[in-house]
Amino acid sequence: MARAIRALLLGWRLERAELAAVGVVAIGLSVIAIGIARHLDLIVARCRVVGYGVAPCGGLRELGQVYDASTNTQMWLTVQLLAVLPFVAGLVLGAPLVARELEQRTALVAWPMAVSRVRWLARRVLPIALLGSIVLAVPAMAGEILVRSMYPLLDPATNFEGYGTRGPLLELRFLLALAISVLVGTLVGRQLPAVLVAGALVVGAGIGLEQLQPLWVEPVEQAAAQHPIDHVGSQFVRQRYRDANGGWMRDEDAWALLVTANEDQPQTGLPEEVMFVIPRERYGDVVLRESAALVAVIGGVSLALIRLLQRKRPG
Amino acid sequence: MRAFSRWARLSFRLQRWEVLASIAGVALHAGLALWFAWQLRGIAAGEPACPDPNAYVPGCEALSQRFRGLADWATGLLYLSWGAPFAMGLLLGVPIVSREIESGTAATAWTLSRSRIRWLLGRVAFAAAVLVMLLAVVTVVSGVLAVAIMPNLHLERDFTWIGRRDWLIVGRGLAALGLGVLIGAALGRLLPGLLAAAFASVVVFAGLSLAMDRWNETLTVVVDPSGLPDAAPESSGALHVGQRIELPSGELVSWSDTALVGDVQVIDERGRLYTAFDDETGMPDPTTFVGWDRALVVPGDRYPQVVARDCAVTIGVGLLALGGGMAVIRRRRPA
């Protein structure tokens, strides 16, 4: 226990400024997210009293979402910042961890004195990973609260809104960014170049995860909705057109047919628009699969890091 | 000439990574922006009516869809144009002093140079020159891209995307550079300096934006926002500065002034404001009429003037920060 506390204190001492910066941003964003959630809860409560004919209660109520124009902008901005936060936190905490030791040449002393380089690395990386995860647990929970308030009629566990900005994915994405950044920092051996290179890689990882999201499970044709809320919370993947015989059409051919259709004539033989979605009930499956993939990639990057560290010259 | 070349070469060597990263970023941005502009212009030149988002033109669906798809991606590049001056300014500004202090070379560099201020100015001049050249490229290509995305607007007198396609990009870059130098010198550590400078930039530029909004209020005209832009031609391309309530007496009051106007509950389609519904009819209660909804806007033809003065103020803030940086390094210990 005492060793664990000593390791955490060492982590704090090594990256005081970086941890403080990540902490301030994470806590600040969480406070904003919870503030917006509380504001939305008040709107919902008020709408239940005054009825849904009054702005801002009308219109979107049937979609399970109630908000006004100003909170709409704040919500959008907060969700975007929550999406970026784990990557920035991983980059800021990870890139200087080994790069600083190499740049300031303290690795020349530290590595020969350590029992092994791997143990030396573990004593640096693990406390930072733990402290970062603890700090990011707050926005991960705040994101869940925000999505629950944004869609009061849906369970956040069956809703793709705010995907990646809440729950365990936020933590795992942080760990991925941290592992990539430590690896790049070790490879480059200088802080600012490491931040730049790792930043580019982390942005690439973020974009890649965004593109991969619709691929974790097989999308299905969206069923006809009984109520407007039936389609809310599902992940849209693509749109296709089906002809009268049930075959798939090229988009351009479908548009040409739709444009030439006469509104006064009966609408027969027109292409049918078909949406492919991942139903919201599969949110848990998608999170689980991405989590498993992230754990595997983090493991791979960590192994590469250990191999690199064992061969790296300290000066 | 030889001294200039030596100074440029030495300065480049000291900031090689930051300069190369900035050049790579700008080259990528410019390449993409010009490619998108070329594609969008090609579509607009073939069928000039198709890119108009406000008009439905039969036969344009596929082209219009393609134009909008490309324009969506291209608009993302304009967000990068907005962020580029802050990122590049801090990236080039913070390490100038902080890296020297952190790596312990400041003591030698400051002792060898005639004065610390002269040393700092030499270093900042190179970073500023690189920054201005690169951000000028960003400004020009962003302007070209903006025109390609919105071919039907007169963007030279339109506030749409202000700060993402004009010389404000260069002004903000110089201000961020000054701020980066100041904070890097004060903290004397590279990465914490970068983080602190990023925080400080958010605060300073948010404050600057609020201050400029207040100043811009001196240029505003009052318009009826309910039928924009047809009801008020001066609101086309205008900068929205604030929202007010016009009382029946003609006086303009703030929306937050609930003591005067009460708690406004309803706005009808003609911009009339009421504090309650009539329970029987379900319509706004005419006895609770408060006034009219009004917008304060700066007309679009003031766009060059607003950009010029915003630019001047922003560069002024950057110079002040640089002055602060000089004061810091004059008194600072080099380690």
Side-chain angles (χ1 to χ4, degrees):
Chain A
M1 188 64 189
R3 282 177 68 182
I5 292 173
R6 238 189 357 252
L8 287 177
L9 280 174
L10 175 69
W12 165 252
R13 242 180 263 148
L14 281 172
E15 299 222 307
R16 214 169 2 211
E18 291 84 350
L19 278 167
V22 169
V24 167
V25 173
I27 305 294
L29 265 179
S30 307
V31 169
I32 292 171
I34 291 171
I36 295 172
R38 192 178 130 71
H39 179 62
L40 291 170
D41 291 345
L42 288 175
I43 293 177
V44 173
R46 185 169 166 236
C47 290
R48 286 196 176 121
V49 176
V50 299
Y52 294 106
V54 181
C57 309
L60 290 165
R61 176 66 178 83
E62 60 187 5
L63 293 176
Q65 192 182 34
V66 179
Y67 56 74
D68 57 14
S70 65
T71 46
N72 188 16
T73 313
Q74 292 166 11
M75 272 182 332
W76 181 84
L77 202 62
T78 309
V79 169
Q80 299 305 312
L81 290 174
L82 281 172
V84 173
L85 178 67
F87 298 105
V88 175
L91 174 68
V92 165
L93 294 177
L97 209 57
V98 180
R100 187 183 292 146
E101 304 273 355
L102 291 168
E103 192 172 22
Q104 296 177 352
R105 296 176 181 270
T106 45
L108 280 168
V109 183
W111 289 3
M113 283 178 72
V115 178
S116 79
R117 288 188 186 184
V118 176
R119 187 178 279 194
W120 174 88
L121 180 71
R123 285 196 63 190
R124 264 151 187 77
V125 175
L126 293 180
I128 293 295
L130 185 64
L131 287 172
S133 299
I134 291 169
V135 169
L136 289 185
V138 182
M141 285 188 280
E144 293 279 359
I145 294 169
L146 179 61
V147 170
R148 184 182 292 274
S149 298
M150 280 163 72
Y151 294 89
L153 298 185
L154 290 181
D155 180 357
T158 55
N159 188 352
F160 277 96
E161 290 296 332
Y163 181 87
T165 65
R166 55 193 171 100
L169 279 185
L170 193 136
E171 295 276 8
L172 285 169
R173 287 179 174 196
F174 158 70
L175 292 176
L176 174 72
L178 184 79
I180 292 174
S181 303
V182 177
L183 178 68
V184 172
T186 310
L187 193 66
V188 175
R190 286 183 64 194
Q191 289 182 78
L192 198 59
V195 168
L196 294 173
V197 176
L201 287 177
V202 164
V203 168
I207 294 171
L209 286 172
E210 194 77 13
Q211 300 301 316
L212 280 175
Q213 190 202 336
L215 305 177
W216 293 118
V217 295
E218 188 67 27
V220 295
E221 273 187 40
Q222 191 172 50
Q226 302 295 318
H227 306 285
I229 196 172
D230 290 349
H231 287 167
V232 176
S234 295
Q235 173 64 45
F236 171 79
V237 178
R238 60 176 175 268
Q239 176 188 340
R240 296 186 73 182
Y241 290 95
R242 190 157 42 205
D243 63 21
N245 302 321
W248 295 112
M249 302 175 72
R250 285 175 54 221
D251 289 357
E252 289 77 9
D253 298 338
W255 294 334
L257 275 175
L258 287 168
V259 167
T260 50
N262 189 339
E263 284 182 12
D264 301 331
Q265 299 294 319
Q267 307 283 302
T268 53
L270 288 181
E272 179 197 359
E273 195 179 66
V274 182
M275 304 287 184
F276 283 86
V277 297
I278 300 172
R280 63 185 180 220
E281 291 75 20
R282 301 212 65 186
Y283 174 78
D285 293 338
V286 174
V287 169
L288 201 64
R289 288 179 192 195
E290 185 179 323
S291 300
L294 284 174
V295 168
V297 175
I298 292 166
V301 174
S302 304
L303 282 178
L305 173 64
I306 289 168
R307 285 185 70 104
L308 176 68
L309 194 79
Q310 283 170 335
R311 294 171 183 202
K312 181 91 182 165
R313 284 187 185 176
Chain B
M1 190 62 197
R2 191 181 289 176
F4 174 80
S5 148
R6 204 172 51 222
W7 163 77
R9 219 174 33 240
L10 181 67
S11 301
F12 172 73
R13 252 187 235 161
L14 286 168
Q15 287 200 283
R16 193 171 35 202
W17 276 92
E18 298 90 280
V19 172
L20 288 177
S22 301
I23 290 173
V26 169
L28 188 66
H29 176 274
L32 283 172
L34 291 176
W35 183 82
F36 275 110
W38 174 55
Q39 292 286 315
L40 291 167
R41 281 180 171 217
I43 296 173
E47 293 289 340
C50 288
D52 187 353
N54 299 319
Y56 171 73
V57 184
C60 267
E61 288 75 14
L63 268 184
S64 179
Q65 187 104 351
R66 180 165 159 67
F67 187 91
R68 273 184 222 143
L70 283 169
D72 279 349
W73 281 98
T75 308
L77 280 179
L78 290 181
Y79 281 105
L80 285 182
S81 307
W82 176 84
F86 305 112
M88 285 168 58
L90 295 182
L91 191 63
L92 289 168
V94 172
I96 288 178
V97 183
S98 64
R99 189 163 38 206
E100 301 278 353
I101 294 172
E102 195 172 43
S103 58
T105 48
T108 317
W110 291 357
T111 313
L112 284 172
S113 61
R114 227 174 283 171
S115 81
R116 291 183 182 188
I117 302 297
R118 204 182 158 92
W119 171 87
L120 180 66
L121 285 178
R123 301 292 312 277
V124 170
F126 176 78
V130 170
L131 191 67
V132 169
M133 278 190 285
L134 293 177
L135 290 180
V137 174
V138 174
T139 305
V140 172
V141 295
S142 301
V144 171
L145 184 61
V147 172
I149 297 172
M150 296 215 167
N152 300 320
L153 289 186
H154 296 285
L155 287 177
E156 69 284 359
R157 49 173 195 274
D158 194 311
F159 281 96
T160 306
W161 295 327
I162 182 173
R164 293 186 221 170
R165 57 179 178 91
D166 44 49
W167 293 101
L168 205 46
I169 292 174
V170 179
R172 284 176 176 165
L174 289 172
L177 180 79
L179 212 57
V181 171
L182 169 64
I183 290 173
L187 293 186
R189 282 186 66 199
L190 181 56
L191 212 56
L194 209 54
L195 294 172
F199 277 127
S201 296
V202 172
V203 174
V204 168
F205 285 102
L208 207 56
S209 170
L210 287 174
M212 290 310 296
D213 279 351
R214 302 290 300 175
W215 195 12
N216 288 337
E217 278 184 22
T218 58
L219 299 173
T220 53
V221 293
V222 181
V223 295
D224 172 8
S226 59
L228 291 177
D230 304 334
E234 64 273 45
S235 61
S236 170
L239 178 69
H240 189 274
V241 174
Q243 204 80 9
R244 296 286 184 273
I245 295 173
E246 186 179 347
L247 300 178
S249 62
E251 187 189 354
L252 284 175
V253 295
S254 160
W255 272 77
S256 56
D257 207 345
T258 46
L260 264 176
V261 296
D263 189 11
V264 174
Q265 295 281 347
V266 196
I267 306 177
D268 71 10
E269 71 282 359
R270 295 173 68 183
R272 289 179 298 207
L273 309 172
Y274 304 87
T275 54
F277 280 98
D278 186 330
D279 289 339
E280 286 178 11
T281 62
M283 301 296 287
D285 182 353
T287 60
T288 64
F289 173 67
V290 174
W292 293 269
D293 185 25
R294 292 290 180 254
L296 291 181
V297 299
V298 181
D301 53 10
R302 297 277 197 172
Y303 172 69
Q305 184 186 347
V306 169
V307 167
R309 70 185 192 180
D310 204 340
C311 228
V313 171
T314 309
I315 291 174
V317 169
L319 288 174
L320 268 179
L322 183 61
M326 286 177 189
V328 169
I329 73 157
R330 275 182 69 173
R331 295 168 182 211
R332 199 184 201 297
R333 286 189 184 172

